[in-house]
Amino acid sequence: MRIVFRCDPALEGRLPKPVPAREALPDWLAAMPRSAFSPLHGADIRTVKHCPPFLDAMTHGFVMTLPCDVHVRARQLSWDWAIPDPAIRAHPRAPISFHVPEQVSGTPWAAAGQVVVKFNSFWTIELEPGWSLFAMHPANRDDLPFRLLSGLVDADRFHDVGILFPAIWRDPDFEGVLPRGMPVAQCIPVRREAPSLVFETLDEAGMARSERTAAALLSGPRVYRKQVRGARSRERSATA
């Protein structure tokens, strides 16, 4: 998958670049324990830090990031970001703009005074033919004071301007700094084709495999990591 990012020539070298999601993981993930005591079990149990699907969701695709520090105080957002005038006259200059609350009327987020922020993008994104870009809130990042609204963009055809990322501001009492380079959107290229749903019952062989897999999962840790992730690593090595 070849993904091409382009920026206004006047801003070259002044913008943080989109990065692979695996390079933008939160500090709490590294700091969290691998096990924790469960009163229900009466023993230590493994945390989600041991769960490959949980981690794979957080490391898949790439993230778009804030181009500068954004200060949040008394429910106001501000920034001090000196950049040259973009060569493109219609290009945004502010890292964040806003939607009026009426644009989410009829949704679960509609409320009087609801703030809908819009993270402006300073990069265009071009995908290969037949691929679209699924933009979502950074996976498992409920620690962020906003919640990005998911969107799907045909970025193989729409790549002359940057994609804007709207978000609901969830924590009205948050005060602090959203730092430059903080992930605001996690993006995953997806094939633009309708799935074909097939429904079947398990045959004898399938039921036997299910029994073996369930028994293996109950017998000890790292079964998924060894069988599935290990196969992925072997496939990569074989094609390298």
Side-chain angles (χ1 to χ4, degrees):
M1 168 54 59
R2 184 171 182 265
I3 306 174
V4 180
F5 301 93
R6 299 182 179 92
C7 71
D8 187 294
L11 304 181
E12 185 179 14
R14 297 175 179 268
L15 301 171
K17 297 177 180 179
V19 297
R22 63 179 178 272
E23 297 179 10
L25 296 175
D27 293 339
W28 60 256
L29 184 62
M32 73 175 292
R34 292 185 174 274
S35 62
F37 180 77
S38 166
L40 179 63
H41 295 83
D44 285 347
I45 61 170
R46 289 174 292 160
T47 67
V48 293
K49 196 167 187 174
H50 280 275
C51 180
F54 179 87
L55 300 175
D56 285 347
M58 299 182 71
T59 58
H60 195 56
F62 63 90
V63 297
M64 304 298 291
T65 63
L66 269 181
C68 67
D69 289 352
V70 174
H71 300 264
V72 185
R73 182 175 177 82
R75 303 191 180 190
Q76 294 185 346
L77 280 67
S78 63
W79 49 86
D80 183 8
W81 188 35
I83 58 171
D85 291 332
I88 302 170
R89 287 181 298 173
H91 199 289
R93 290 183 56 88
I96 295 178
S97 53
F98 300 88
H99 286 293
V100 295
E102 289 75 18
Q103 288 186 272
V104 293
S105 295
T107 71
W109 314 290
Q114 173 66 67
V115 175
V116 186
V117 299
K118 182 166 57 179
F119 294 103
N120 295 327
S121 177
F122 293 81
W123 293 93
T124 65
I125 306 170
E126 181 178 1
L127 299 184
E128 295 177 356
W131 289 78
S132 294
L133 193 71
F134 178 58
M136 54 178 271
H137 186 78
N140 300 321
R141 292 299 307 271
D142 284 353
D143 54 306
L144 299 174
F146 58 86
R147 166 64 63 171
L148 201 81
L149 302 184
S150 299
L152 188 68
V153 179
D154 292 347
D156 58 341
R157 301 166 178 163
F158 184 87
H159 47 73
D160 294 329
V161 297
I163 299 171
L164 306 178
F165 303 102
I168 301 298
W169 194 265
R170 297 172 59 245
D171 187 355
D173 297 323
F174 175 87
E175 292 198 348
V177 178
L178 305 181
R180 169 186 166 98
M182 185 192 76
V184 297
Q186 185 170 352
C187 300
I188 300 172
V190 295
R191 284 193 180 276
R192 191 171 55 251
E193 55 188 20
S196 177
L197 307 183
V198 179
F199 303 92
E200 301 176 343
T201 58
L202 289 167
D203 57 16
E204 291 293 332
M207 289 190 288
R209 290 194 300 271
S210 180
E211 292 281 7
R212 289 196 299 270
T213 302
L217 290 170
L218 293 172
S219 67
R222 300 186 180 87
V223 173
Y224 180 91
R225 188 182 301 274
K226 292 175 182 177
Q227 294 184 1
V228 179
R229 294 287 296 279
R232 185 198 301 180
S233 298
R234 290 190 292 273
E235 289 173 356
R236 288 177 177 171
S237 299
T239 57

